[in-house]
Amino acid sequence: MSTSVTITDTTFEVRNPATGKRVGVHPVHTAAEVNSAVATARDAAGWWASLGFAGRARRLDAWRTEITRGRHELARIMHDEMGKPISDANLEIVMALEHLKWAARNAERVLGRRRVMPSLLTINHAAEVEYRPFGVVGVIGPWNYPVFTPLSSVSFALAAGNAVVFKPSEYTPGVGVWLAEAFGRIVPEKPVLQVITGYGETGAALCRSNVGKIGFTGSTATGKRVMATCAENLTPVLMECGGKDALIVDADADLDAAADVAVWGGMSNAGQTCLGVERVYVHTAVYDEFLAKVVALAATVRAGAGSAQVGPITMPKQISVIRGQIEDALARGARALLGGPDTIDGQFVQPTILVDVPEDATAVTEETFGPTLTIAEVTDMDEAVARVNATEYGLGGTVFSRRDGRDIADRIRAGGISINAFVAHALNPSLPLGGVGGSGFGRVHGPDGLKEFAYAKATTRQRFPSPLALTTFSRSEMADAIVDRVVAVLHGRIR
Ligand code: NDP
């Protein structure tokens, strides 16, 4: 939409966080418009489902090609709307395409009808299970990964046979519009993927619109509001919420690789990553050496406009959250080995490394969403695990250890852990992604991510009458006696 349009009550503008320049104007869709989009999506959903897995896969593959051809334009919109460096935007698109491909290729295997074994008491019935689409799925997405994150729901919901109404963040509506327009060029027949734009109220209207399911990705606080609204109609929800992920560095870790992960995981995307490293716990034997490496590396990273490795903080209001956490930590005895509040300039926050931060400081307990790290020394891995698990969040995490990586990972309460690498579990399309506790529930990606957007439907077909009629008022005493004997044999002999 033109950027020279006058803003009214029915439109909103998007400004580039680095320059303040207006980069888009979009409609604020009302509840009536949202309901209308959902109504047309219902009609489209029947047609889309009728294409079958193969017909949908062909179109999803073509959409993937369309996105690939337009990727540089899409990356530019991402950069303009939320400030991400272009090269990071390109990388994000690649990640999203991998998952889109996987969803299209695997939907039939995971969701298609299959026979299951009958039990002894149901031996005369053939049994099948399949996973049916809900019809229309509403997807509410955040701005920090405006392609990867919503497509993790959108691609899987479409592959499962649903039509989708997508509400992108008010900071990245242009990305959502671009994706839906690209889809519309491939699937012009019906509005299978629509985008509605606006503020939180537009998202709330989507929650109230009687869609079959809401796939929500965003903060834990908003997630609670979304759940409350969805409860009005008993609309099921997928909750991909915030995190406070940690990196654990054991005494035998590859320190150069771990330092690289700390800096990239903590600072890339200006720290605005749900799975980003926000806390680091380091074995005392290697603490000083590791710290020196991280500080030296982070000092080479600069936040700035254009081609800087780190872009601006997207949301104006987040600056006070980041500043508040850093100042609170410093006031409580922490030290900034790099960065700090004085290096915050407008929407730019320079990489900041804090040590000696009390464990109950907000810099350790709450999502920062800025390019900051708290680094703490631990006496052993038991202490590291205990500290990592001491938050309400449980999204992901990283463990660096040559010998005990698996054992440490097993003890962390989180939806996914990558050992000796950063977020590898989120990049592998076969693996589920999601959290526990304050980080939400349900999964995107992999077989679980497909099943998230479908309901299980069980069907049996009697092949021959049972000699033992059980579900009838004319059940005989003989039948009861046989069942009694059978149950004793089947279930009564285990001690
Ligand atoms: P928000 O929670 O602020 O917003 C998420 C989405 O919800 C936006 O589209 C927002 O619209 C919409 N929304 C706001 N209020 C309501 C409402 N009452 N009803 C329905 N929808 C509403 O999150 P951010 O966009 O700031 O994203 C950052 C958060 O997302 C972080 O906490 C991050 O950790 C999390 N996240 C989690 C991921 C995961 O996989 N677990 C992945 C990526 C991010 P609007 O923008 O217009 O207000």
Side-chain angles (χ1 to χ4, degrees):
M1 188 177 278
S2 163
T3 54
S4 60
V5 182
T6 308
I7 298 301
T8 66
D9 285 353
T10 59
T11 55
F12 68 102
E13 64 179 4
V14 181
R15 288 188 179 272
N16 180 319
T19 62
K21 200 173 141 240
R22 185 196 277 188
V23 292
V25 177
H26 296 266
V28 177
H29 285 121
T30 63
E33 288 167 322
V34 171
N35 290 336
S36 161
V38 171
T40 52
R42 266 198 195 100
D43 170 53
W47 173 79
W48 181 246
S50 76
L51 295 178
F53 290 108
R56 292 195 295 272
R58 261 198 312 280
R59 288 164 172 84
L60 291 173
D61 283 346
W63 184 36
R64 182 158 53 85
T65 305
E66 187 72 5
I67 296 171
T68 305
R69 288 193 178 137
R71 64 191 184 282
H72 298 306
E73 186 186 354
L74 181 58
R76 166 58 59 183
I77 299 171
M78 293 160 77
H79 172 77
D80 287 349
E81 288 195 328
M82 56 76 63
K84 186 181 299 250
I86 292 281
S87 67
D88 286 356
N90 286 328
L91 186 61
E92 181 181 335
I93 294 168
V94 174
M95 285 155 44
L97 293 173
E98 289 284 297
H99 290 283
L100 172 55
K101 178 180 176 185
W102 194 95
R105 297 284 162 89
N106 289 278
E108 181 161 19
R109 177 180 63 80
V110 175
L111 304 176
R113 188 177 299 177
R114 64 182 164 82
R115 297 185 69 148
V116 298
M117 288 287 287
S119 63
L120 196 59
L121 291 179
T122 63
I123 196 94
N124 57 323
H125 300 271
E128 289 176 348
V129 64
E130 64 184 314
Y131 295 85
R132 305 291 298 264
F134 287 108
V136 183
V137 164
V139 172
I140 299 175
W143 48 264
N144 61 336
Y145 286 83
V147 171
F148 179 74
T149 295
L151 283 194
S152 294
S153 290
V154 171
S155 304
F156 286 70
L158 289 171
N162 302 281
V164 172
V165 178
F166 169 35
K167 152 71 177 68
S169 163
E170 72 198 55
Y171 294 98
T172 52
V175 172
V177 169
W178 191 97
L179 289 168
E181 285 178 355
F183 188 88
R185 289 193 290 279
I186 300 301
V187 184
E189 296 93 334
K190 300 263 186 186
V192 174
L193 172 59
Q194 297 176 70
V195 163
I196 49 166
T197 53
Y199 300 108
E201 295 75 43
T202 304
L206 186 58
C207 296
R208 288 202 175 88
S209 67
N210 254 319
V211 289
K213 183 155 188 169
I214 288 286
F216 170 81
T217 308
S219 64
T220 305
T222 306
K224 290 176 184 173
R225 285 197 287 277
V226 165
M227 271 187 81
T229 311
C230 286
E232 293 170 17
N233 293 322
L234 212 64
T235 301
V237 288
L238 158 69
M239 283 284 139
E240 294 287 339
C241 299
K244 190 71 185 173
D245 287 0
L247 161 66
I248 291 180
V249 183
D250 201 356
D252 67 347
D254 177 339
L255 295 188
D256 287 320
D260 192 63
V261 161
V263 175
W264 166 263
M267 314 300 176
S268 62
N269 207 33
Q272 304 169 117
T273 303
C274 51
L275 293 159
V277 177
E278 298 217 347
R279 307 175 285 154
V280 188
Y281 295 101
V282 190
H283 194 287
T284 185
V286 292
Y287 179 72
D288 290 337
E289 192 184 347
F290 175 79
L291 206 55
K293 286 179 188 290
V294 170
V295 172
L297 194 57
T300 67
V301 177
R302 195 182 63 81
S307 59
Q309 303 106 307
V310 171
I313 298 301
T314 304
M315 294 192 296
K317 65 180 181 201
Q318 195 65 19
I319 290 290
S320 63
V321 173
I322 299 166
R323 184 190 291 280
Q325 288 192 11
I326 296 173
E327 286 178 347
D328 168 67
L330 295 176
R332 297 182 59 190
R335 292 177 295 135
L337 300 186
L338 192 72
D342 296 343
T343 64
I344 298 176
D345 181 14
Q347 283 302 109
F348 295 101
V349 178
Q350 295 306 326
T352 293
I353 294 177
L354 299 171
V355 294
D356 303 335
V357 185
E359 282 294 292
D360 61 350
T362 52
V364 175
T365 59
E366 291 176 15
E367 199 174 42
T368 310
F369 247 46
T372 66
L373 288 175
T374 64
I375 304 185
E377 188 175 359
V378 290
T379 51
D380 55 29
M381 290 299 102
D382 290 343
E383 185 185 354
V385 168
R387 290 209 200 179
V388 167
N389 286 341
T391 86
E392 61 156 327
Y393 296 110
L395 191 53
T398 312
V399 174
F400 265 83
S401 172
R402 286 197 169 92
R403 196 191 61 188
D404 296 330
R406 184 57 208 238
D407 173 60
I408 299 164
D410 283 351
R411 291 191 283 150
I412 295 174
R413 175 180 160 275
I417 300 289
S418 293
I419 302 168
N420 297 332
F422 179 58
V423 294
H425 68 278
L427 305 183
N428 183 337
S430 302
L431 286 176
L433 177 69
V436 295
S439 294
F441 52 83
R443 294 294 180 264
V444 293
H445 302 171
D448 302 85
L450 283 166
K451 286 185 180 169
E452 199 67 52
F453 295 105
Y455 64 92
K457 184 172 181 188
T459 308
T460 61
R461 182 178 49 81
Q462 182 168 287
R463 293 186 296 148
F464 54 86
S466 170
L468 209 57
L470 298 178
T471 54
T472 167
F473 286 118
S474 55
R475 189 174 63 233
S476 66
E477 286 183 10
M478 168 81 87
D480 280 345
I482 293 174
V483 168
D484 197 53
R485 295 277 293 278
V486 168
V487 81
V489 172
L490 288 182
H491 305 294
R493 295 190 172 182
I494 303 160
R495 283 254 182 260

